[in-house]
PDB file of all heavy atoms in Angstrom:
ATOM      1  N   ASN A  12      40.635 -56.410  59.396  1.00  0.00           N
ATOM      2  CA  ASN A  12      39.414 -56.589  58.613  1.00  0.00           C
ATOM      3  C   ASN A  12      38.940 -58.015  58.784  1.00  0.00           C
ATOM      4  O   ASN A  12      39.720 -58.905  59.178  1.00  0.00           O
ATOM      5  CB  ASN A  12      39.658 -56.296  57.132  1.00  0.00           C
ATOM      6  CG  ASN A  12      38.359 -56.040  56.364  1.00  0.00           C
ATOM      7  OD1 ASN A  12      37.256 -56.210  56.893  1.00  0.00           O
ATOM      8  ND2 ASN A  12      38.493 -55.626  55.116  1.00  0.00           N
ATOM      9  N   GLU A  13      37.677 -58.220  58.527  1.00  0.00           N
ATOM     10  CA  GLU A  13      37.166 -59.589  58.507  1.00  0.00           C
ATOM     11  C   GLU A  13      37.787 -60.314  57.321  1.00  0.00           C
ATOM     12  O   GLU A  13      37.972 -59.720  56.244  1.00  0.00           O
ATOM     13  CB  GLU A  13      35.641 -59.596  58.378  1.00  0.00           C
ATOM     14  CG  GLU A  13      35.042 -60.994  58.461  1.00  0.00           C
ATOM     15  CD  GLU A  13      33.531 -60.978  58.567  1.00  0.00           C
ATOM     16  OE1 GLU A  13      32.949 -59.885  58.516  1.00  0.00           O
ATOM     17  OE2 GLU A  13      32.946 -62.057  58.688  1.00  0.00           O
ATOM     18  N   ASN A  14      38.138 -61.579  57.513  1.00  0.00           N
ATOM     19  CA  ASN A  14      38.776 -62.346  56.452  1.00  0.00           C
ATOM     20  C   ASN A  14      37.720 -62.824  55.461  1.00  0.00           C
ATOM     21  O   ASN A  14      37.345 -63.991  55.424  1.00  0.00           O
ATOM     22  CB  ASN A  14      39.545 -63.532  57.038  1.00  0.00           C
ATOM     23  CG  ASN A  14      40.501 -64.136  56.027  1.00  0.00           C
ATOM     24  OD1 ASN A  14      40.512 -63.727  54.865  1.00  0.00           O
ATOM     25  ND2 ASN A  14      41.287 -65.091  56.458  1.00  0.00           N
ATOM     26  N   ASP A  15      37.251 -61.884  54.633  1.00  0.00           N
ATOM     27  CA  ASP A  15      36.156 -62.180  53.704  1.00  0.00           C
ATOM     28  C   ASP A  15      36.539 -63.193  52.636  1.00  0.00           C
ATOM     29  O   ASP A  15      35.672 -63.715  51.937  1.00  0.00           O
ATOM     30  CB  ASP A  15      35.701 -60.884  53.011  1.00  0.00           C
ATOM     31  CG  ASP A  15      34.963 -59.954  53.954  1.00  0.00           C
ATOM     32  OD1 ASP A  15      34.061 -60.423  54.658  1.00  0.00           O
ATOM     33  OD2 ASP A  15      35.296 -58.757  53.992  1.00  0.00           O
ATOM     34  N   THR A  16      37.812 -63.477  52.471  1.00  0.00           N
ATOM     35  CA  THR A  16      38.210 -64.414  51.425  1.00  0.00           C
ATOM     36  C   THR A  16      37.928 -65.863  51.809  1.00  0.00           C
ATOM     37  O   THR A  16      37.920 -66.744  50.951  1.00  0.00           O
ATOM     38  CB  THR A  16      39.712 -64.272  51.103  1.00  0.00           C
ATOM     39  OG1 THR A  16      40.461 -64.529  52.278  1.00  0.00           O
ATOM     40  CG2 THR A  16      40.012 -62.885  50.588  1.00  0.00           C
ATOM     41  N   VAL A  17      37.700 -66.132  53.106  1.00  0.00           N
ATOM     42  CA  VAL A  17      37.478 -67.523  53.515  1.00  0.00           C
ATOM     43  C   VAL A  17      36.197 -67.734  54.301  1.00  0.00           C
ATOM     44  O   VAL A  17      35.782 -68.870  54.513  1.00  0.00           O
ATOM     45  CB  VAL A  17      38.660 -68.049  54.369  1.00  0.00           C
ATOM     46  CG1 VAL A  17      39.950 -68.002  53.584  1.00  0.00           C
ATOM     47  CG2 VAL A  17      38.792 -67.270  55.664  1.00  0.00           C
ATOM     48  N   VAL A  18      35.540 -66.653  54.758  1.00  0.00           N
ATOM     49  CA  VAL A  18      34.376 -66.839  55.614  1.00  0.00           C
ATOM     50  C   VAL A  18      33.169 -67.292  54.813  1.00  0.00           C
ATOM     51  O   VAL A  18      33.087 -67.126  53.606  1.00  0.00           O
ATOM     52  CB  VAL A  18      34.015 -65.538  56.364  1.00  0.00           C
ATOM     53  CG1 VAL A  18      35.114 -65.153  57.321  1.00  0.00           C
ATOM     54  CG2 VAL A  18      33.718 -64.422  55.384  1.00  0.00           C
ATOM     55  N   ASN A  19      32.218 -67.902  55.526  1.00  0.00           N
ATOM     56  CA  ASN A  19      30.916 -68.193  54.937  1.00  0.00           C
ATOM     57  C   ASN A  19      29.852 -67.696  55.894  1.00  0.00           C
ATOM     58  O   ASN A  19      30.138 -67.072  56.904  1.00  0.00           O
ATOM     59  CB  ASN A  19      30.755 -69.693  54.647  1.00  0.00           C
ATOM     60  CG  ASN A  19      30.992 -70.543  55.894  1.00  0.00           C
ATOM     61  OD1 ASN A  19      30.622 -70.173  57.005  1.00  0.00           O
ATOM     62  ND2 ASN A  19      31.621 -71.688  55.713  1.00  0.00           N
ATOM     63  N   ASP A  20      28.580 -67.954  55.584  1.00  0.00           N
ATOM     64  CA  ASP A  20      27.492 -67.389  56.383  1.00  0.00           C
ATOM     65  C   ASP A  20      27.524 -67.841  57.828  1.00  0.00           C
ATOM     66  O   ASP A  20      27.028 -67.147  58.712  1.00  0.00           O
ATOM     67  CB  ASP A  20      26.134 -67.769  55.770  1.00  0.00           C
ATOM     68  CG  ASP A  20      25.874 -67.026  54.467  1.00  0.00           C
ATOM     69  OD1 ASP A  20      26.523 -65.996  54.257  1.00  0.00           O
ATOM     70  OD2 ASP A  20      25.037 -67.483  53.676  1.00  0.00           O
ATOM     71  N   GLU A  21      28.108 -68.998  58.099  1.00  0.00           N
ATOM     72  CA  GLU A  21      28.111 -69.517  59.461  1.00  0.00           C
ATOM     73  C   GLU A  21      29.124 -68.809  60.351  1.00  0.00           C
ATOM     74  O   GLU A  21      28.966 -68.770  61.566  1.00  0.00           O
ATOM     75  CB  GLU A  21      28.411 -71.022  59.466  1.00  0.00           C
ATOM     76  CG  GLU A  21      27.226 -71.903  59.045  1.00  0.00           C
ATOM     77  CD  GLU A  21      26.907 -71.772  57.571  1.00  0.00           C
ATOM     78  OE1 GLU A  21      27.860 -71.676  56.778  1.00  0.00           O
ATOM     79  OE2 GLU A  21      25.715 -71.729  57.228  1.00  0.00           O
ATOM     80  N   ILE A  22      30.186 -68.256  59.787  1.00  0.00           N
ATOM     81  CA  ILE A  22      31.236 -67.691  60.634  1.00  0.00           C
ATOM     82  C   ILE A  22      31.454 -66.200  60.398  1.00  0.00           C
ATOM     83  O   ILE A  22      32.334 -65.616  60.991  1.00  0.00           O
ATOM     84  CB  ILE A  22      32.570 -68.430  60.426  1.00  0.00           C
ATOM     85  CG1 ILE A  22      33.062 -68.306  58.976  1.00  0.00           C
ATOM     86  CG2 ILE A  22      32.470 -69.882  60.823  1.00  0.00           C
ATOM     87  CD1 ILE A  22      34.454 -68.870  58.757  1.00  0.00           C
ATOM     88  N   LYS A  23      30.608 -65.553  59.566  1.00  0.00           N
ATOM     89  CA  LYS A  23      30.786 -64.131  59.321  1.00  0.00           C
ATOM     90  C   LYS A  23      30.391 -63.317  60.539  1.00  0.00           C
ATOM     91  O   LYS A  23      29.437 -63.621  61.235  1.00  0.00           O
ATOM     92  CB  LYS A  23      29.951 -63.669  58.122  1.00  0.00           C
ATOM     93  CG  LYS A  23      30.557 -64.022  56.771  1.00  0.00           C
ATOM     94  CD  LYS A  23      29.743 -63.444  55.637  1.00  0.00           C
ATOM     95  CE  LYS A  23      29.864 -61.939  55.579  1.00  0.00           C
ATOM     96  NZ  LYS A  23      31.219 -61.480  55.218  1.00  0.00           N
ATOM     97  N   PHE A  24      31.134 -62.254  60.791  1.00  0.00           N
ATOM     98  CA  PHE A  24      30.715 -61.303  61.814  1.00  0.00           C
ATOM     99  C   PHE A  24      29.430 -60.619  61.361  1.00  0.00           C
ATOM    100  O   PHE A  24      28.596 -60.241  62.157  1.00  0.00           O
ATOM    101  CB  PHE A  24      31.785 -60.220  62.031  1.00  0.00           C
ATOM    102  CG  PHE A  24      33.045 -60.732  62.663  1.00  0.00           C
ATOM    103  CD1 PHE A  24      34.228 -60.750  61.964  1.00  0.00           C
ATOM    104  CD2 PHE A  24      33.038 -61.186  63.965  1.00  0.00           C
ATOM    105  CE1 PHE A  24      35.395 -61.199  62.555  1.00  0.00           C
ATOM    106  CE2 PHE A  24      34.200 -61.644  64.563  1.00  0.00           C
ATOM    107  CZ  PHE A  24      35.378 -61.651  63.846  1.00  0.00           C
ATOM    108  N   GLY A  25      29.284 -60.444  60.055  1.00  0.00           N
ATOM    109  CA  GLY A  25      28.091 -59.812  59.521  1.00  0.00           C
ATOM    110  C   GLY A  25      28.296 -58.343  59.215  1.00  0.00           C
ATOM    111  O   GLY A  25      27.668 -57.805  58.326  1.00  0.00           O
ATOM    112  N   ASP A  26      29.146 -57.691  59.933  1.00  0.00           N
ATOM    113  CA  ASP A  26      29.465 -56.296  59.675  1.00  0.00           C
ATOM    114  C   ASP A  26      30.701 -55.944  60.488  1.00  0.00           C
ATOM    115  O   ASP A  26      30.996 -56.573  61.497  1.00  0.00           O
ATOM    116  CB  ASP A  26      28.296 -55.391  60.049  1.00  0.00           C
ATOM    117  CG  ASP A  26      27.951 -55.500  61.525  1.00  0.00           C
ATOM    118  OD1 ASP A  26      28.624 -54.832  62.328  1.00  0.00           O
ATOM    119  OD2 ASP A  26      27.050 -56.269  61.876  1.00  0.00           O
ATOM    120  N   ASN A  27      31.403 -54.919  60.034  1.00  0.00           N
ATOM    121  CA  ASN A  27      32.641 -54.556  60.717  1.00  0.00           C
ATOM    122  C   ASN A  27      32.409 -53.698  61.958  1.00  0.00           C
ATOM    123  O   ASN A  27      33.336 -53.449  62.718  1.00  0.00           O
ATOM    124  CB  ASN A  27      33.600 -53.863  59.750  1.00  0.00           C
ATOM    125  CG  ASN A  27      34.455 -54.877  58.995  1.00  0.00           C
ATOM    126  OD1 ASN A  27      34.380 -56.076  59.253  1.00  0.00           O
ATOM    127  ND2 ASN A  27      35.263 -54.405  58.073  1.00  0.00           N
ATOM    128  N   ASP A  28      31.163 -53.235  62.180  1.00  0.00           N
ATOM    129  CA  ASP A  28      30.854 -52.589  63.456  1.00  0.00           C
ATOM    130  C   ASP A  28      30.965 -53.619  64.577  1.00  0.00           C
ATOM    131  O   ASP A  28      31.571 -53.356  65.618  1.00  0.00           O
ATOM    132  CB  ASP A  28      29.444 -51.997  63.430  1.00  0.00           C
ATOM    133  CG  ASP A  28      29.297 -50.903  62.392  1.00  0.00           C
ATOM    134  OD1 ASP A  28      30.231 -50.083  62.258  1.00  0.00           O
ATOM    135  OD2 ASP A  28      28.268 -50.860  61.709  1.00  0.00           O
ATOM    136  N   THR A  29      30.386 -54.794  64.344  1.00  0.00           N
ATOM    137  CA  THR A  29      30.499 -55.877  65.321  1.00  0.00           C
ATOM    138  C   THR A  29      31.955 -56.275  65.503  1.00  0.00           C
ATOM    139  O   THR A  29      32.415 -56.485  66.634  1.00  0.00           O
ATOM    140  CB  THR A  29      29.685 -57.096  64.874  1.00  0.00           C
ATOM    141  OG1 THR A  29      28.311 -56.720  64.758  1.00  0.00           O
ATOM    142  CG2 THR A  29      29.803 -58.244  65.867  1.00  0.00           C
ATOM    143  N   LEU A  30      32.690 -56.358  64.414  1.00  0.00           N
ATOM    144  CA  LEU A  30      34.106 -56.705  64.501  1.00  0.00           C
ATOM    145  C   LEU A  30      34.856 -55.671  65.340  1.00  0.00           C
ATOM    146  O   LEU A  30      35.704 -56.011  66.174  1.00  0.00           O
ATOM    147  CB  LEU A  30      34.712 -56.805  63.100  1.00  0.00           C
ATOM    148  CG  LEU A  30      36.217 -57.084  63.019  1.00  0.00           C
ATOM    149  CD1 LEU A  30      36.572 -58.363  63.763  1.00  0.00           C
ATOM    150  CD2 LEU A  30      36.652 -57.188  61.558  1.00  0.00           C
ATOM    151  N   GLY A  31      34.540 -54.394  65.154  1.00  0.00           N
ATOM    152  CA  GLY A  31      35.186 -53.347  65.938  1.00  0.00           C
ATOM    153  C   GLY A  31      34.939 -53.526  67.428  1.00  0.00           C
ATOM    154  O   GLY A  31      35.856 -53.370  68.252  1.00  0.00           O
ATOM    155  N   ALA A  32      33.704 -53.875  67.793  1.00  0.00           N
ATOM    156  CA  ALA A  32      33.374 -54.085  69.201  1.00  0.00           C
ATOM    157  C   ALA A  32      34.094 -55.309  69.753  1.00  0.00           C
ATOM    158  O   ALA A  32      34.592 -55.290  70.887  1.00  0.00           O
ATOM    159  CB  ALA A  32      31.868 -54.243  69.361  1.00  0.00           C
ATOM    160  N   LEU A  33      34.160 -56.370  68.970  1.00  0.00           N
ATOM    161  CA  LEU A  33      34.843 -57.581  69.417  1.00  0.00           C
ATOM    162  C   LEU A  33      36.337 -57.331  69.600  1.00  0.00           C
ATOM    163  O   LEU A  33      36.955 -57.848  70.536  1.00  0.00           O
ATOM    164  CB  LEU A  33      34.605 -58.717  68.418  1.00  0.00           C
ATOM    165  CG  LEU A  33      33.176 -59.270  68.367  1.00  0.00           C
ATOM    166  CD1 LEU A  33      33.028 -60.243  67.205  1.00  0.00           C
ATOM    167  CD2 LEU A  33      32.799 -59.946  69.679  1.00  0.00           C
ATOM    168  N   VAL A  34      36.924 -56.532  68.726  1.00  0.00           N
ATOM    169  CA  VAL A  34      38.341 -56.194  68.865  1.00  0.00           C
ATOM    170  C   VAL A  34      38.546 -55.334  70.112  1.00  0.00           C
ATOM    171  O   VAL A  34      39.523 -55.511  70.845  1.00  0.00           O
ATOM    172  CB  VAL A  34      38.860 -55.474  67.610  1.00  0.00           C
ATOM    173  CG1 VAL A  34      40.250 -54.900  67.832  1.00  0.00           C
ATOM    174  CG2 VAL A  34      38.877 -56.442  66.424  1.00  0.00           C
ATOM    175  N   ALA A  35      37.624 -54.401  70.368  1.00  0.00           N
ATOM    176  CA  ALA A  35      37.714 -53.582  71.575  1.00  0.00           C
ATOM    177  C   ALA A  35      37.709 -54.462  72.818  1.00  0.00           C
ATOM    178  O   ALA A  35      38.479 -54.252  73.755  1.00  0.00           O
ATOM    179  CB  ALA A  35      36.571 -52.573  71.622  1.00  0.00           C
ATOM    180  N   ASN A  36      36.838 -55.472  72.821  1.00  0.00           N
ATOM    181  CA  ASN A  36      36.801 -56.414  73.939  1.00  0.00           C
ATOM    182  C   ASN A  36      38.080 -57.247  74.003  1.00  0.00           C
ATOM    183  O   ASN A  36      38.607 -57.520  75.083  1.00  0.00           O
ATOM    184  CB  ASN A  36      35.591 -57.330  73.809  1.00  0.00           C
ATOM    185  CG  ASN A  36      34.273 -56.596  73.956  1.00  0.00           C
ATOM    186  OD1 ASN A  36      34.227 -55.468  74.446  1.00  0.00           O
ATOM    187  ND2 ASN A  36      33.188 -57.212  73.528  1.00  0.00           N
ATOM    188  N   LEU A  37      38.555 -57.663  72.832  1.00  0.00           N
ATOM    189  CA  LEU A  37      39.718 -58.541  72.742  1.00  0.00           C
ATOM    190  C   LEU A  37      40.951 -57.907  73.368  1.00  0.00           C
ATOM    191  O   LEU A  37      41.719 -58.571  74.072  1.00  0.00           O
ATOM    192  CB  LEU A  37      39.984 -58.879  71.269  1.00  0.00           C
ATOM    193  CG  LEU A  37      41.210 -59.725  70.943  1.00  0.00           C
ATOM    194  CD1 LEU A  37      41.040 -61.145  71.465  1.00  0.00           C
ATOM    195  CD2 LEU A  37      41.447 -59.753  69.426  1.00  0.00           C
ATOM    196  N   ILE A  38      41.171 -56.630  73.121  1.00  0.00           N
ATOM    197  CA  ILE A  38      42.401 -55.971  73.573  1.00  0.00           C
ATOM    198  C   ILE A  38      42.171 -55.063  74.783  1.00  0.00           C
ATOM    199  O   ILE A  38      43.041 -54.286  75.151  1.00  0.00           O
ATOM    200  CB  ILE A  38      43.057 -55.161  72.436  1.00  0.00           C
ATOM    201  CG1 ILE A  38      42.164 -54.006  71.995  1.00  0.00           C
ATOM    202  CG2 ILE A  38      43.417 -56.051  71.261  1.00  0.00           C
ATOM    203  CD1 ILE A  38      42.847 -53.024  71.052  1.00  0.00           C
ATOM    204  N   ASP A  39      40.965 -55.147  75.385  1.00  0.00           N
ATOM    205  CA  ASP A  39      40.654 -54.307  76.552  1.00  0.00           C
ATOM    206  C   ASP A  39      40.793 -52.829  76.223  1.00  0.00           C
ATOM    207  O   ASP A  39      41.420 -52.056  76.965  1.00  0.00           O
ATOM    208  CB  ASP A  39      41.554 -54.645  77.743  1.00  0.00           C
ATOM    209  CG  ASP A  39      41.367 -56.069  78.225  1.00  0.00           C
ATOM    210  OD1 ASP A  39      40.225 -56.543  78.218  1.00  0.00           O
ATOM    211  OD2 ASP A  39      42.361 -56.710  78.585  1.00  0.00           O
ATOM    212  N   ALA A  40      40.205 -52.411  75.113  1.00  0.00           N
ATOM    213  CA  ALA A  40      40.291 -51.006  74.710  1.00  0.00           C
ATOM    214  C   ALA A  40      39.499 -50.124  75.668  1.00  0.00           C
ATOM    215  O   ALA A  40      38.525 -50.559  76.289  1.00  0.00           O
ATOM    216  CB  ALA A  40      39.773 -50.833  73.284  1.00  0.00           C
ATOM    217  N   ASP A  41      39.917 -48.879  75.769  1.00  0.00           N
ATOM    218  CA  ASP A  41      39.193 -47.900  76.579  1.00  0.00           C
ATOM    219  C   ASP A  41      38.027 -47.299  75.812  1.00  0.00           C
ATOM    220  O   ASP A  41      37.024 -46.898  76.416  1.00  0.00           O
ATOM    221  CB  ASP A  41      40.134 -46.775  77.004  1.00  0.00           C
ATOM    222  CG  ASP A  41      41.309 -47.294  77.821  1.00  0.00           C
ATOM    223  OD1 ASP A  41      41.065 -47.862  78.897  1.00  0.00           O
ATOM    224  OD2 ASP A  41      42.456 -47.162  77.359  1.00  0.00           O
ATOM    225  N   ALA A  42      38.169 -47.222  74.495  1.00  0.00           N
ATOM    226  CA  ALA A  42      37.130 -46.580  73.697  1.00  0.00           C
ATOM    227  C   ALA A  42      37.103 -47.153  72.286  1.00  0.00           C
ATOM    228  O   ALA A  42      38.120 -47.612  71.759  1.00  0.00           O
ATOM    229  CB  ALA A  42      37.358 -45.070  73.634  1.00  0.00           C
ATOM    230  N   LEU A  43      35.909 -47.106  71.695  1.00  0.00           N
ATOM    231  CA  LEU A  43      35.684 -47.500  70.302  1.00  0.00           C
ATOM    232  C   LEU A  43      35.134 -46.282  69.570  1.00  0.00           C
ATOM    233  O   LEU A  43      34.167 -45.663  70.024  1.00  0.00           O
ATOM    234  CB  LEU A  43      34.686 -48.649  70.231  1.00  0.00           C
ATOM    235  CG  LEU A  43      34.103 -49.006  68.855  1.00  0.00           C
ATOM    236  CD1 LEU A  43      35.185 -49.523  67.916  1.00  0.00           C
ATOM    237  CD2 LEU A  43      32.980 -50.037  68.997  1.00  0.00           C
ATOM    238  N   VAL A  44      35.777 -45.926  68.458  1.00  0.00           N
ATOM    239  CA  VAL A  44      35.290 -44.832  67.617  1.00  0.00           C
ATOM    240  C   VAL A  44      34.800 -45.438  66.307  1.00  0.00           C
ATOM    241  O   VAL A  44      35.562 -46.111  65.612  1.00  0.00           O
ATOM    242  CB  VAL A  44      36.387 -43.795  67.327  1.00  0.00           C
ATOM    243  CG1 VAL A  44      35.841 -42.674  66.446  1.00  0.00           C
ATOM    244  CG2 VAL A  44      36.936 -43.226  68.621  1.00  0.00           C
ATOM    245  N   ILE A  45      33.533 -45.209  65.993  1.00  0.00           N
ATOM    246  CA  ILE A  45      32.962 -45.684  64.732  1.00  0.00           C
ATOM    247  C   ILE A  45      32.781 -44.476  63.825  1.00  0.00           C
ATOM    248  O   ILE A  45      31.919 -43.621  64.073  1.00  0.00           O
ATOM    249  CB  ILE A  45      31.621 -46.409  64.955  1.00  0.00           C
ATOM    250  CG1 ILE A  45      31.823 -47.639  65.844  1.00  0.00           C
ATOM    251  CG2 ILE A  45      31.003 -46.809  63.620  1.00  0.00           C
ATOM    252  CD1 ILE A  45      30.530 -48.391  66.155  1.00  0.00           C
ATOM    253  N   LEU A  46      33.619 -44.387  62.803  1.00  0.00           N
ATOM    254  CA  LEU A  46      33.525 -43.298  61.837  1.00  0.00           C
ATOM    255  C   LEU A  46      32.603 -43.737  60.708  1.00  0.00           C
ATOM    256  O   LEU A  46      32.797 -44.785  60.100  1.00  0.00           O
ATOM    257  CB  LEU A  46      34.909 -42.935  61.297  1.00  0.00           C
ATOM    258  CG  LEU A  46      35.912 -42.417  62.338  1.00  0.00           C
ATOM    259  CD1 LEU A  46      37.234 -42.080  61.667  1.00  0.00           C
ATOM    260  CD2 LEU A  46      35.359 -41.211  63.084  1.00  0.00           C
ATOM    261  N   THR A  47      31.625 -42.910  60.432  1.00  0.00           N
ATOM    262  CA  THR A  47      30.600 -43.272  59.466  1.00  0.00           C
ATOM    263  C   THR A  47      30.306 -42.084  58.559  1.00  0.00           C
ATOM    264  O   THR A  47      30.926 -41.025  58.667  1.00  0.00           O
ATOM    265  CB  THR A  47      29.322 -43.731  60.207  1.00  0.00           C
ATOM    266  OG1 THR A  47      28.335 -44.125  59.266  1.00  0.00           O
ATOM    267  CG2 THR A  47      28.779 -42.636  61.110  1.00  0.00           C
ATOM    268  N   ASP A  48      29.343 -42.260  57.650  1.00  0.00           N
ATOM    269  CA  ASP A  48      28.981 -41.175  56.737  1.00  0.00           C
ATOM    270  C   ASP A  48      27.816 -40.357  57.277  1.00  0.00           C
ATOM    271  O   ASP A  48      27.203 -39.582  56.545  1.00  0.00           O
ATOM    272  CB  ASP A  48      28.664 -41.729  55.341  1.00  0.00           C
ATOM    273  CG  ASP A  48      27.602 -42.807  55.359  1.00  0.00           C
ATOM    274  OD1 ASP A  48      27.089 -43.118  56.457  1.00  0.00           O
ATOM    275  OD2 ASP A  48      27.281 -43.348  54.289  1.00  0.00           O
ATOM    276  N   GLN A  49      27.500 -40.509  58.562  1.00  0.00           N
ATOM    277  CA  GLN A  49      26.475 -39.707  59.213  1.00  0.00           C
ATOM    278  C   GLN A  49      27.082 -38.990  60.408  1.00  0.00           C
ATOM    279  O   GLN A  49      28.109 -39.402  60.942  1.00  0.00           O
ATOM    280  CB  GLN A  49      25.316 -40.600  59.666  1.00  0.00           C
ATOM    281  CG  GLN A  49      24.624 -41.335  58.517  1.00  0.00           C
ATOM    282  CD  GLN A  49      23.481 -42.198  58.995  1.00  0.00           C
ATOM    283  OE1 GLN A  49      22.615 -41.748  59.737  1.00  0.00           O
ATOM    284  NE2 GLN A  49      23.474 -43.455  58.562  1.00  0.00           N
ATOM    285  N   LYS A  50      26.448 -37.924  60.844  1.00  0.00           N
ATOM    286  CA  LYS A  50      26.966 -37.116  61.948  1.00  0.00           C
ATOM    287  C   LYS A  50      26.922 -37.854  63.278  1.00  0.00           C
ATOM    288  O   LYS A  50      27.629 -37.499  64.225  1.00  0.00           O
ATOM    289  CB  LYS A  50      26.163 -35.815  62.056  1.00  0.00           C
ATOM    290  CG  LYS A  50      26.302 -34.884  60.863  1.00  0.00           C
ATOM    291  CD  LYS A  50      27.663 -34.204  60.840  1.00  0.00           C
ATOM    292  CE  LYS A  50      27.730 -33.143  59.730  1.00  0.00           C
ATOM    293  NZ  LYS A  50      29.024 -32.439  59.721  1.00  0.00           N
ATOM    294  N   GLY A  51      26.096 -38.870  63.351  1.00  0.00           N
ATOM    295  CA  GLY A  51      25.917 -39.625  64.585  1.00  0.00           C
ATOM    296  C   GLY A  51      24.534 -40.251  64.591  1.00  0.00           C
ATOM    297  O   GLY A  51      23.921 -40.426  63.528  1.00  0.00           O
ATOM    298  N   LEU A  52      24.036 -40.571  65.768  1.00  0.00           N
ATOM    299  CA  LEU A  52      22.704 -41.149  65.909  1.00  0.00           C
ATOM    300  C   LEU A  52      21.678 -40.031  66.050  1.00  0.00           C
ATOM    301  O   LEU A  52      21.849 -39.121  66.866  1.00  0.00           O
ATOM    302  CB  LEU A  52      22.647 -42.058  67.137  1.00  0.00           C
ATOM    303  CG  LEU A  52      21.260 -42.587  67.529  1.00  0.00           C
ATOM    304  CD1 LEU A  52      20.722 -43.528  66.457  1.00  0.00           C
ATOM    305  CD2 LEU A  52      21.308 -43.268  68.880  1.00  0.00           C
ATOM    306  N   TYR A  53      20.622 -40.125  65.248  1.00  0.00           N
ATOM    307  CA  TYR A  53      19.527 -39.165  65.339  1.00  0.00           C
ATOM    308  C   TYR A  53      18.309 -39.829  65.983  1.00  0.00           C
ATOM    309  O   TYR A  53      18.196 -41.060  66.006  1.00  0.00           O
ATOM    310  CB  TYR A  53      19.156 -38.639  63.954  1.00  0.00           C
ATOM    311  CG  TYR A  53      20.152 -37.632  63.399  1.00  0.00           C
ATOM    312  CD1 TYR A  53      21.330 -38.062  62.801  1.00  0.00           C
ATOM    313  CD2 TYR A  53      19.909 -36.265  63.490  1.00  0.00           C
ATOM    314  CE1 TYR A  53      22.249 -37.143  62.301  1.00  0.00           C
ATOM    315  CE2 TYR A  53      20.817 -35.341  62.985  1.00  0.00           C
ATOM    316  CZ  TYR A  53      21.982 -35.791  62.400  1.00  0.00           C
ATOM    317  OH  TYR A  53      22.890 -34.879  61.903  1.00  0.00           O
ATOM    318  N   THR A  54      17.403 -39.007  66.467  1.00  0.00           N
ATOM    319  CA  THR A  54      16.187 -39.528  67.094  1.00  0.00           C
ATOM    320  C   THR A  54      15.305 -40.256  66.089  1.00  0.00           C
ATOM    321  O   THR A  54      14.460 -41.057  66.463  1.00  0.00           O
ATOM    322  CB  THR A  54      15.396 -38.387  67.742  1.00  0.00           C
ATOM    323  OG1 THR A  54      15.187 -37.343  66.773  1.00  0.00           O
ATOM    324  CG2 THR A  54      16.155 -37.811  68.936  1.00  0.00           C
ATOM    325  N   ALA A  55      15.507 -39.987  64.811  1.00  0.00           N
ATOM    326  CA  ALA A  55      14.826 -40.682  63.713  1.00  0.00           C
ATOM    327  C   ALA A  55      15.702 -40.509  62.483  1.00  0.00           C
ATOM    328  O   ALA A  55      16.673 -39.742  62.492  1.00  0.00           O
ATOM    329  CB  ALA A  55      13.426 -40.119  63.489  1.00  0.00           C
ATOM    330  N   ASP A  56      15.384 -41.230  61.422  1.00  0.00           N
ATOM    331  CA  ASP A  56      16.165 -41.135  60.189  1.00  0.00           C
ATOM    332  C   ASP A  56      16.028 -39.723  59.625  1.00  0.00           C
ATOM    333  O   ASP A  56      14.935 -39.329  59.188  1.00  0.00           O
ATOM    334  CB  ASP A  56      15.659 -42.163  59.173  1.00  0.00           C
ATOM    335  CG  ASP A  56      16.556 -42.255  57.950  1.00  0.00           C
ATOM    336  OD1 ASP A  56      17.310 -41.297  57.679  1.00  0.00           O
ATOM    337  OD2 ASP A  56      16.498 -43.287  57.252  1.00  0.00           O
TER     338      ASP A  56
END
């Protein structure tokens, strides 16, 4: 998780989706799965 207990606006990832992507890059992951409360991406809201 992002270390929300010490971060400020200058060093925040801003969201854990970005953190997930950065971790995928960090460890050379083959895939990133983002589990959300929606079925996926729609052509519109």
Side-chain angles (χ1 to χ4, degrees):
N12 198 353
E13 185 170 3
N14 195 355
D15 289 312
T16 59
V17 300
V18 295
N19 55 37
D20 289 340
E21 283 70 39
I22 61 173
K23 282 184 70 67
F24 292 113
D26 61 82
N27 273 356
D28 297 319
T29 300
L30 177 57
L33 290 172
V34 170
N36 294 344
L37 177 68
I38 65 170
D39 298 322
D41 300 299
L43 168 65
V44 180
I45 299 178
L46 298 181
T47 182
D48 55 1
Q49 299 180 50
K50 295 287 187 178
L52 172 66
Y53 285 81
T54 52
D56 188 339

